[in-house]
Each structure stands twice: as structure tokens, then as C-alpha cells.
């Protein structure tokens, strides 16, 4: 099932299938190691659900929901 990264739950993992953005946001997403085919694991969320913390390539990064809205993930399990 494909979902937006924003909608993934804590402790859920998946594979990035599509990144739909351009400009600075897209560059930031690529710079932190998120690309199509990357494995992501949601490690936590702030109390108001923004930002989301996730593990990508053994590195924990955080994304604002406005950035996570550009990333589609095929969820496992």
C-alpha cells in the first residue's frame, strides 16, 4: 500500500516510491539521503505530529510535514 510519508505510523517501515517536488525542498530531501528506492523507518513524531523523525541509511533525520507530503512510500507489513 502506497502512502504519503506524513501518514506513516511510528515503527512503520517502507520503501520510497516517488518524490513529487522541485526546487529547494526537493534538494533538501535528496541532500539528507532520501531518494526513490531508499528504505525509511519512522522512529518518532513530535507531540503535535510535526516534525517526523525517520531513519534513512542508518541516519536519523527529521522532516516537517510540508516536506514529508512530497514523498510517497510503499509500506511493508
Amino acid at each position: 500500500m502506497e502512502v504519503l510519508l506524513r501518514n506513516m505510523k511510528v515503527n512503520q517501515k517502507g520503501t520510497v516510491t516517488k518524490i513529487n517536488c522541485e526546487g529547494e525542498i526537493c534538494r533538501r530531501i535528496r541532500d539528507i539521503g532520501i531518494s526513490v528506492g531508499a528504505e525509511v523507518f519512522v522512529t518518532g513524531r513530535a507531540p503535535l505530529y510535526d516534525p517526523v523523525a525517520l531513519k534513512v541509511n542508518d541516519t536519523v533525520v527529521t522532516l516537517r510535514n510540508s516536506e514529508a507530503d512530497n514523498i510517497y512510500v510503499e509500506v511493508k507489513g
Side-chain angles (χ1 to χ4, degrees), residues 5-69:
L5 179 59
R6 174 188 196 141
N7 296 329
M8 289 180 69
K9 298 176 180 156
V10 174
N11 295 324
Q12 201 170 29
K13 51 170 87 164
T15 304
V16 175
T17 57
K18 180 178 166 187
I19 299 173
N20 188 22
C21 63
E22 50 187 53
E24 288 291 319
I25 290 176
C26 198
R27 190 170 118 195
R28 171 170 153 65
I29 291 170
R30 282 194 309 261
D31 286 350
I32 61 176
I34 298 175
S35 59
V36 173
E39 298 284 323
V40 295
F41 177 75
V42 177
T43 61
R45 289 188 177 273
L48 297 177
Y49 288 94
D50 192 18
V52 58
L54 52 130
K55 193 171 186 179
V56 181
N57 300 326
D58 294 325
T59 303
V60 176
V61 299
T62 59
L63 288 178
R64 293 185 179 275
N65 282 335
S66 61
E67 297 164 329
D69 283 343

